[in-house]
Amino acid sequence: MLILSCYSNKGGVGKTATAVNLAHALALAGQRTLLCDLDPQGASGFCFRVKPSKKLTEARFFEDVQRFTKAIRGSDYENLDILPANMTFRDFDVFLARMRNTRSRLKKALKAVKGDYDVVLLDCPPNISTLSENVFRASDAIVVPVIPTTLSQRTFEQLEAFFRDHDLPLSKLHGFFSMVQGVKSLHGDTITEMSKAHKKRILKTQIPFSSDIERMGVHRAPVTATAPRSAAAQAYSALHRELVARLG
Ligand SMILES: Nc1ncnc2c1ncn2[C@@H]1O[C@H](COP(=O)(O)OP(=O)(O)OP(=O)(O)O)[C@@H](O)[C@H]1O
Ligand SMILES: [Mg+2]
C-alpha cells in the first residue's frame, strides 16, 4: 500500500484541490484508493459530498482500529473511499504530544487499512507540526503544490531545510507549480529559478489557475469527473501520470 500526501506548510496553495483530483485519477486508473482528510476544515470530504463520523475523535483515530475503519465512507466513484475529517482533528497535535513514539503514530494507524487499498492519499492541514512529522514519516511520497511566487518559494525551501535538519529523505518531496498564471512575469521567473535550483524535486506538470477548479466547491466533485476535457482536468491527469512514472 502506497501512502501519498498532499502537503504544504503554506495555506491555500491547492493541496485539497490536488488531493481530490489525484484521488479520482488514481481510482479511475483502477487503484483502490482511500482519500484520508487530516484537516479539520474537512474540505476533501465536502468535495465528495460525504459527512464525517462524529464518533471518530482524535484519540480514536490513532488508537481504535474499528472506529477508524467504520468512519470510512464510500464515494460516487468506483475504487474510491473517503475518510472525512471532523473538528476534533484540530486536537491531533495535543493528543500526539502525550503519546510515546509520537512521530510514527500515523504510520501505525494506517496499518488498519493495509490490504484494503493500493493507495492512501492524505490531505494535510497547512502547518509544520507533530502531525506533519507523522505525515513525513508515513508517506512514501509528499506532493507539494507551490504557487510560483517569492513567498511560496521561501516556504518550499523552509520545508527542504526542515527535512535536512531532521534527517528526513529529501527524495520524498515532489513539488509542482500550482495556480500558474502565464501572464504574470513573476510566475515565469520563479518557475525558471526554482526549476533550476530544485531540479530533482520539482515535477514537470503545472496546474494552471482555473475557474473550473474554483467551481469544484459548487459542483462538489473532482474536475477530472465534471469537466474531463478541461485544461485543469488534463493537468491533473498529467500530474497523476508523472507521479506514477516517478514512483513506479
Ligand atoms: N489551480 C487553481 N486555480 C484556481 N483556483 C484554485 C486552484 N487550486 C485551488 N484553487 C482554489 O484556491 C482555494 C484554495 O485551494 P485549496 O483549498 O485546494 O488549497 P489548500 O492548500 O488545500 O488550502 P488549505 O491550506 O486551507 O487547506 C480554493 O478556493 C480553491 O478552489
Ligand atoms: Mg486544504
Side-chain angles (χ1 to χ4, degrees):
M1 186 177 79
L2 191 79
I3 302 178
L4 290 179
S5 50
C6 289
Y7 169 83
S8 169
N9 32 339
K10 196 160 180 57
V13 293
K15 297 179 289 295
T16 298
T18 304
V20 165
N21 288 288
L22 208 49
H24 180 246
L26 285 159
L28 260 185
Q31 302 286 317
R32 293 169 304 158
T33 303
L34 174 66
L35 172 57
C36 178
D37 192 353
L38 297 176
D39 187 340
Q41 293 180 84
S44 276
F46 177 84
C47 286
F48 282 104
R49 299 173 185 268
V50 293
K51 289 206 177 100
S53 159
K54 288 189 182 127
K55 291 182 181 154
L56 186 68
T57 59
E58 79 291 357
R60 284 173 152 171
F61 184 100
F62 289 106
E63 296 203 311
D64 185 340
V65 171
Q66 274 196 349
R67 201 40 89 186
F68 180 90
T69 49
K70 258 191 173 176
I72 294 173
R73 306 280 183 252
S75 75
D76 294 340
Y77 308 95
E78 205 178 334
N79 296 320
L80 180 55
D81 288 347
I82 318 289
L83 182 75
N86 67 49
M87 262 299 161
T88 70
F89 287 19
R90 76 195 172 93
D91 292 327
F92 274 157
D93 280 305
V94 178
F95 177 78
L96 286 166
R98 295 198 299 260
M99 305 298 293
R100 254 190 278 154
N101 302 325
T102 187
R103 290 176 179 80
S104 53
R105 302 299 302 198
L106 180 63
K107 191 168 187 168
K108 193 166 170 236
L110 293 176
K111 285 194 177 138
V113 293
K114 203 176 170 187
D116 296 334
Y117 297 101
D118 300 311
V119 186
V120 174
L121 186 57
L122 307 171
D123 182 15
C124 302
N127 49 33
I128 190 150
S129 60
T130 309
L131 176 67
S132 318
E133 286 190 69
N134 273 268
V135 167
F136 301 157
R137 282 164 204 273
S139 302
D140 297 294
I142 302 161
V143 182
V144 188
V146 180
I147 301 176
T149 58
T150 315
L151 290 184
S152 294
Q153 176 174 1
R154 187 173 166 270
T155 310
F156 187 75
E157 287 165 0
Q158 280 174 340
L159 180 61
E160 287 180 318
F162 186 92
F163 266 59
R164 276 191 206 99
D165 293 348
H166 293 79
D167 286 327
L168 290 160
L170 278 155
S171 56
K172 282 190 183 183
L173 294 178
H174 302 273
F176 70 93
F177 295 111
S178 166
M179 301 194 203
V180 175
Q181 291 177 277
V183 291
K184 291 189 174 170
S185 59
L186 178 63
H187 280 206
D189 294 347
T190 310
I191 288 171
T192 307
E193 194 185 321
M194 280 189 77
S195 303
K196 251 191 231 161
H198 311 274
K199 210 174 182 178
K200 282 190 206 149
R201 280 186 278 287
I202 300 282
L203 296 163
K204 286 199 176 67
T205 306
Q206 298 176 8
I207 306 296
F209 189 91
S210 148
S211 50
D212 286 319
I213 300 176
E214 281 184 304
R215 272 198 291 271
M216 256 175 35
V218 178
H219 298 306
R220 297 182 68 184
V223 74
T224 43
T226 55
R229 289 200 190 86
S230 64
Q234 300 282 327
Y236 282 122
S237 302
L239 186 69
H240 164 245
R241 283 195 301 275
E242 190 177 1
L243 276 170
V244 169
R246 265 206 182 189
L247 304 174

